[in-house]
Amino acid sequence: MSGIYIHIPFCKQACHYCDFHFSTSLKKKDELVNALCRELELRKDEFKNTSVETIYFGGGTPSLLTNEELQVLIDSVYQNYQISEHPEITLEANPDDLSKDRIIELAKSPINRLSIGIQSFFEADLKLMNRAHNANEAIECLSVATRHFDNISLDLIYGIPGASNAQWLKNIEMALEFNVPHISSYALTVEPKTALASFIKKGVIEDVDDEQAHQQFHLLKETLEASGFVHYELSNFGKESYFSRNNSAYWQGKSYLGIGPSAHSFNGKQRGWNVSNNSKYIKAIQQNELPIEIETLTLTDQYNEYVMTGLRTIWGVSFYKVENDFGTVFKDYLIEQSKVFINQQLLYIDDGHLRVTKQGQFLSDGISSELFMLNSF
Ligand code: SF4
């Protein structure tokens, strides 16, 4: 089982906090779509013995492509790969691209899941983050989308400077009113070289308050769990049978093919990443070359990655898997390193799995780094 991720590297405008790869010029859109189709064809042998369970259009802003362009890409995937009978096909979309007519057309296409970048229902938050949509557009698009799609995820951002806990709770409650089966939520992080970092440095925007972000994470968790969501990954909440199949596959170490500029790929032993430059990407593909750098993961890298992703999910870290895949040295090391966190009630062992407690959840990335193996095997 495997997945295909297709990166659409265009956005209308730059959100102040974002450090993903995208261009705000759409001049090369046609060439890019052709290059994506060509890359899909060039790499088909990498998945010749596996069937594709998920196709994910991420970005950037994939909803900037027309429905016809998306269909061309889906056709190209079907022409070059074996696709399972009921694939999950997700489109990341921004509210300002989702008019009523557009949603109705999308619902007739093979796309069967929308991941909508709402981020906040409050105008002040949206302005501070320089989102391209306004609060009304967020509400309107969700009202229509929920009538035409059953499988919808929305994104919300917490820890926004100036947004109180009461306002955050209102954001969550508004999301719940739409009865979507999946919510992804991330803390606003200040990435170097972003406009947000520069505004904070100049004092134009107040800094992110980690303690408040922590409180808002717990408000989110409690409110969504009380409404029947399962907190199945640090940043993801889903109703039963609506967990993202695409993301769950990443977290469970399954293979995926990343198509497009800056997209990452993984085949269980090697990780690859495409060049983060639209012109260089298009030029290389036009010459039938893959603009990809590949790194072979050591056993230590694979163990560290498994620990980090495992602790972020409800599946936890399996001692059996660690011993089986990496050896007794790794299992003994994991037992030893986790003791201090078990004593602090940040980790616990259940049914042969190491998991984070409720108190440990927000800290899980920091905890896993303490469980990483430092010696290289
Ligand atoms: S729309 Fe998404 S990818 Fe584009 S700038 Fe905003 S956060 Fe980044």
Side-chain angles (χ1 to χ4, degrees), residues 5-247:
Y5 171 86
I6 303 177
H7 189 82
I8 308 301
F10 301 112
C11 291
K12 272 189 197 156
Q13 63 192 50
C15 300
H16 285 159
Y17 56 90
C18 180
D19 72 342
F20 290 159
H21 169 65
F22 63 89
S23 160
T24 49
S25 159
L26 299 187
K27 269 196 301 212
K28 292 187 189 291
K29 192 158 72 109
D30 292 350
E31 281 177 281
L32 196 272
V33 171
N34 287 336
L36 294 173
C37 289
R38 183 74 188 127
E39 189 186 1
L40 281 163
E41 198 182 337
L42 288 171
R43 297 182 66 184
K44 64 181 175 192
D45 285 348
E46 292 181 41
F47 270 9
K48 68 174 177 235
N49 297 322
T50 180
S51 79
V52 173
E53 288 279 333
T54 62
I55 302 168
Y56 192 98
F57 291 99
T61 309
S63 50
L64 283 178
L65 294 195
T66 62
N67 291 354
E68 291 71 30
E69 287 165 333
L70 292 166
Q71 187 62 53
V72 164
L73 289 166
I74 293 170
D75 289 345
S76 175
V77 174
Y78 271 85
Q79 277 153 18
N80 292 294
Y81 298 84
Q82 295 170 50
I83 312 297
S84 76
E85 214 176 320
H86 300 290
E88 175 189 272
I89 307 183
T90 304
L91 177 75
E92 280 184 1
N94 281 342
D96 42 308
D97 295 327
L98 291 181
S99 64
K100 185 176 175 200
D101 290 349
R102 179 84 200 271
I103 293 169
I104 291 171
E105 282 310 306
L106 282 171
K108 293 182 200 152
S109 80
I111 290 163
N112 51 26
R113 184 170 184 270
L114 292 180
S115 171
I116 307 179
I118 299 290
Q119 317 310 354
S120 173
F121 291 99
F122 287 88
E123 214 55 59
D125 293 346
L126 296 169
K127 287 221 163 74
L128 181 143
M129 296 188 286
N130 201 37
R131 296 288 304 179
H133 66 277
N134 60 37
N136 267 343
E137 284 170 319
I139 292 168
E140 299 240 313
C141 101
L142 277 172
S143 321
V144 180
T146 46
R147 287 206 294 275
H148 296 277
F149 279 83
D150 146 67
N151 199 349
I152 293 181
S153 176
L154 59 85
D155 285 359
L156 290 176
I157 293 182
Y158 58 91
I160 298 172
S164 65
N165 290 357
Q167 182 177 320
W168 172 238
L169 189 58
K170 183 84 190 129
N171 250 330
I172 304 168
E173 285 167 354
M174 286 191 68
L176 286 172
E177 276 175 26
F178 292 100
N179 211 12
V180 292
H182 192 279
I183 294 177
S184 299
S185 189
Y186 304 88
L188 183 68
T189 44
V190 186
E191 302 294 348
K193 297 192 190 141
T194 55
L196 180 64
S198 136
F199 288 141
I200 289 174
K201 199 166 162 215
K202 289 185 194 143
V204 180
I205 293 179
E206 63 183 282
D207 203 351
V208 168
D209 177 344
D210 289 340
E211 180 45 39
Q212 190 171 46
H214 195 161
Q215 290 166 10
Q216 294 187 355
F217 170 80
H218 282 290
L219 260 177
L220 173 78
K221 179 178 171 67
E222 279 154 24
T223 314
L224 293 188
E225 285 181 343
S227 300
F229 284 83
V230 179
H231 190 189
Y232 70 104
E233 197 268 348
L234 185 64
S235 309
N236 287 277
F237 299 80
K239 295 267 173 81
E240 282 301 345
S241 75
Y242 284 97
F243 296 0
S244 159
R245 282 163 59 193
N246 174 74
N247 293 1

